Amino acid sequence: MSKLIYIAAGIFTIYFLLPLYILLMIAFSPAKYTIESVYPPLYFKGFTLSNLIYAFTQYDFISPFFKSLAVATLVGIVALIIGIPAGYGLSRLPGKVAYPVLILLLITNMVPGIVVAIPISAEFIKLGLYDSIPGLAFVQELITLPLAVFILQGTFSTVSRDIEYQAKIDGASTWSFLKNILLPIASPGIAAAFLISWMFSWDEFTYAVILSPIHPTLPIEIYINITRGNELAAVAFSLVFTIPVIILTIALQKYLKGEYLTGGLKS
């Protein structure tokens, strides 16, 4: 039985890592062995940096990269600024009131993004938010904020109200209770909410392609290069695109656990 588990784990690992391996192989192999080959091999037949040098010297990826980084970071911060009080408030409401509200918030994730993005883009043109970092971040909150509130509501629900009562008896102000007791206890759930919000924004495509076509984010820039036949540039940008995700995932990997993502605190 244990061997089957290891075999299954190995198959799943290969399944998920194979796209990244192929990306690395195309990025660092001569084009004649990859995109210019009719039957490209699944192993390295050569090594070159010319693909990356050509892509980064011939095409602009700095502006799209920093725009994606700014939007994703702003989305994560706003999700916490709004999500923490919203999640805490819902956690202190009776379940029969809190859960319908949470379901109502999650309805926005059930609506196709393109249906929402088109009317919003018309309004954003009037408001001067079209093709801007705040405008795109504001729209992406439609996806990330309900998820952040869901995670934070569950996180705060696990914090006993006796702790809050005891803090008030000891003379702690509301701000002191939040700063010194509640937020430190809930920090794993807060980190998970930020990470999920950041990652959803980082590779979001539908809203970005409609609301930010002139100064695109990095996913849109990759798509543009693919449609124009610049596959090597798209591969090079995709390689850069994965680096922040890997760094952030490694830094916060201890929070990427079921109990945090569902709002529960680790005992």
Side-chain angles (χ1 to χ4, degrees), residues 53-69:
I53 295 172
Y54 174 78
F56 295 145
T57 55
Q58 297 298 316
Y59 302 97
D60 176 33
F61 85 100
I62 298 295
S63 298
F65 175 83
F66 281 106
K67 183 165 187 176
S68 289
L69 191 62

Side-chain angles (χ1 to χ4, degrees), residues 151-210:
I151 294 172
L152 292 166
Q153 186 273 341
T155 298
F156 292 129
S157 295
T158 62
V159 179
S160 172
R161 301 197 73 168
D162 292 338
I163 297 176
E164 185 175 350
Y165 295 147
Q166 186 61 50
K168 290 181 178 179
I169 291 173
D170 293 339
S173 64
T174 301
W175 171 246
S176 177
F177 168 72
L178 291 174
K179 178 183 176 184
N180 300 319
I181 299 176
L182 182 63
L183 296 183
I185 293 176
S187 59
I190 294 173
F194 176 82
L195 183 59
I196 292 297
S197 300
W198 192 94
M199 293 180 70
F200 267 78
S201 172
W202 181 246
D203 66 350
E204 197 281 326
F205 186 85
T206 303
Y207 289 129
V209 76
I210 295 176

Side-chain angles (χ1 to χ4, degrees), residues 107-158:
I107 284 179
T108 56
N109 285 306
M110 303 175 190
V111 180
I114 194 168
V115 175
V116 180
I118 292 175
I120 287 178
S121 64
E123 295 300 322
F124 273 18
I125 291 174
K126 300 176 186 175
L127 298 172
L129 292 173
Y130 190 73
D131 201 41
S132 69
I133 291 174
L136 185 56
F138 180 73
V139 173
Q140 289 180 347
E141 290 292 344
L142 292 173
I143 302 174
T144 61
L145 185 57
L147 298 175
V149 172
F150 176 77
I151 294 172
L152 292 166
Q153 186 273 341
T155 298
F156 292 129
S157 295
T158 62

Side-chain angles (χ1 to χ4, degrees), residues 2-250:
S2 60
K3 290 184 178 178
L4 291 177
I5 294 175
Y6 284 115
I7 293 173
I11 292 173
F12 275 107
T13 301
I14 293 172
Y15 177 76
F16 287 109
L17 292 182
L18 184 60
L20 184 58
Y21 169 75
I22 293 175
L23 177 65
L24 291 171
M25 190 172 64
I26 296 175
F28 293 106
S29 296
K32 64 181 180 181
Y33 297 131
T34 55
I35 62 175
E36 295 178 0
S37 174
V38 179
Y39 301 104
L42 282 176
Y43 57 89
F44 282 88
K45 292 187 68 175
F47 178 83
T48 182
L49 293 175
S50 60
N51 296 335
L52 301 183
I53 295 172
Y54 174 78
F56 295 145
T57 55
Q58 297 298 316
Y59 302 97
D60 176 33
F61 85 100
I62 298 295
S63 298
F65 175 83
F66 281 106
K67 183 165 187 176
S68 289
L69 191 62
V71 171
T73 304
L74 184 58
V75 166
I77 292 173
V78 172
L80 293 187
I81 292 174
I82 300 176
I84 288 176
Y88 178 73
L90 288 172
S91 73
R92 295 309 184 237
L93 292 176
K96 62 181 180 181
V97 177
Y99 291 123
V101 174
L102 286 172
I103 296 299
L104 186 64
L105 291 175
L106 292 171
I107 284 179
T108 56
N109 285 306
M110 303 175 190
V111 180
I114 194 168
V115 175
V116 180
I118 292 175
I120 287 178
S121 64
E123 295 300 322
F124 273 18
I125 291 174
K126 300 176 186 175
L127 298 172
L129 292 173
Y130 190 73
D131 201 41
S132 69
I133 291 174
L136 185 56
F138 180 73
V139 173
Q140 289 180 347
E141 290 292 344
L142 292 173
I143 302 174
T144 61
L145 185 57
L147 298 175
V149 172
F150 176 77
I151 294 172
L152 292 166
Q153 186 273 341
T155 298
F156 292 129
S157 295
T158 62
V159 179
S160 172
R161 301 197 73 168
D162 292 338
I163 297 176
E164 185 175 350
Y165 295 147
Q166 186 61 50
K168 290 181 178 179
I169 291 173
D170 293 339
S173 64
T174 301
W175 171 246
S176 177
F177 168 72
L178 291 174
K179 178 183 176 184
N180 300 319
I181 299 176
L182 182 63
L183 296 183
I185 293 176
S187 59
I190 294 173
F194 176 82
L195 183 59
I196 292 297
S197 300
W198 192 94
M199 293 180 70
F200 267 78
S201 172
W202 181 246
D203 66 350
E204 197 281 326
F205 186 85
T206 303
Y207 289 129
V209 76
I210 295 176
L211 295 168
S212 187
I214 301 173
H215 301 95
T217 58
L218 195 51
I220 308 305
E221 186 67 24
I222 293 171
Y223 170 76
I224 291 173
N225 278 282
I226 291 174
T227 56
R228 292 177 178 174
N230 305 325
E231 290 89 352
L232 290 178
V235 168
F237 297 166
S238 299
L239 193 62
V240 174
F241 189 60
T242 61
I243 294 176
V245 178
I246 294 173
I247 293 174
L248 194 61
T249 302
I250 292 175

